[in-house]
Amino acid sequence: MSFLFGSRSSKTFKPKKNIPEGSHQYELLKHAEATLGSGNLRAAVMLPEGEDLNEWIAVNTVDFFNQINMLYGTITEFCTETSCSVMSAGPRYEYHWADGTNIKKPIKCSAPKYIDYLMTWVQDQLDDETLFPSKIGVPFPKNFMSVAKTILKRLFRVYAHIYHQHFDSVMQLQEEAHLNTSFKHFIFFVQEFNLIDRRELAPLQDLIEKLGSKDR
């Protein structure tokens, strides 16, 4: 299930993952959006009183997938096999792809190929009802938190690639405010619940500290 569309007009290179209207998760998403509107991102990421942590993480993971999907979709024409022959985040960090199932041994590939693999893999996890149950009363599996952490760790790499390799293009498109707000929301969320190891965040550590200091 590969989904890199050729035309930029699509803006997002993968259909949005929708949360069913009327479901409890949809209500949680609406709550998250309303809280985000207040402008206080630290408060917006906190677990709402009385809510299930797994469900809150699931709803936000879907939302971050949709956001990154759209952000990357705006710059796909600049991220090519030629311009980005390896998946990197600056000169010190290079990522090789493996999903443990179809590709067990990490392979070196271009950034567009890596991100295609990554977003397809994430979509497959989100569509798996045994991992991300959408029906009320269906429990989350015991390994849910581990899967969610892996998804978020990998989604971070798309932010890192965009910031390091394509920020000029983002500025040309006047999308930097959108990118910065999305990334700040993402970072505050993963920090709130300790979802990504600090070492994994190293490629954007300076930016993370800057965003955090502005909010204190």
Side-chain angles (χ1 to χ4, degrees), residues 63-80:
D63 191 38
F64 290 129
F65 168 79
N66 286 334
Q67 286 184 44
I68 293 166
N69 192 21
M70 190 166 62
L71 286 163
Y72 184 68
T74 64
I75 56 104
T76 47
E77 66 185 288
F78 308 109
C79 187
T80 66

Side-chain angles (χ1 to χ4, degrees), residues 67-68 70-75 79 87-89 115 155-170 179 204:
Q67 286 184 44
I68 293 166
M70 190 166 62
L71 286 163
Y72 184 68
T74 64
I75 56 104
C79 187
M87 174 62 178
S88 62
I115 293 170
L155 289 176
F156 168 82
R157 295 171 182 176
V158 184
Y159 281 120
H161 180 72
I162 293 172
Y163 271 111
H164 277 283
Q165 314 303 136
H166 299 293
F167 196 68
D168 286 350
S169 300
V170 170
L179 173 63
L204 293 177

Side-chain angles (χ1 to χ4, degrees), residues 55-166:
E55 198 157 34
W56 182 239
I57 287 173
V59 166
N60 280 276
T61 300
V62 170
D63 191 38
F64 290 129
F65 168 79
N66 286 334
Q67 286 184 44
I68 293 166
N69 192 21
M70 190 166 62
L71 286 163
Y72 184 68
T74 64
I75 56 104
T76 47
E77 66 185 288
F78 308 109
C79 187
T80 66
E81 298 282 335
T82 310
S83 67
C84 301
S85 58
V86 295
M87 174 62 178
S88 62
R92 290 176 54 206
Y93 300 95
E94 186 177 305
Y95 301 111
H96 295 179
W97 177 256
D99 59 17
T101 309
N102 298 319
I103 300 172
K104 293 185 178 175
K105 189 177 176 186
I107 57 168
K108 185 173 181 172
C109 56
S110 68
K113 190 76 181 162
Y114 184 101
I115 293 170
D116 186 17
Y117 280 135
L118 187 159
M119 297 299 268
T120 301
W121 177 84
V122 173
Q123 180 72 25
D124 287 345
Q125 310 312 301
L126 300 181
D127 286 343
D128 185 343
E129 279 286 326
T130 66
L131 283 175
F132 282 77
S134 58
K135 294 179 178 67
I136 291 174
V138 178
F140 283 85
K142 288 190 172 68
N143 66 332
F144 170 75
M145 197 63 78
S146 167
V147 172
K149 285 180 176 181
T150 303
I151 290 172
L152 294 165
K153 175 181 76 176
R154 290 176 173 173
L155 289 176
F156 168 82
R157 295 171 182 176
V158 184
Y159 281 120
H161 180 72
I162 293 172
Y163 271 111
H164 277 283
Q165 314 303 136
H166 299 293

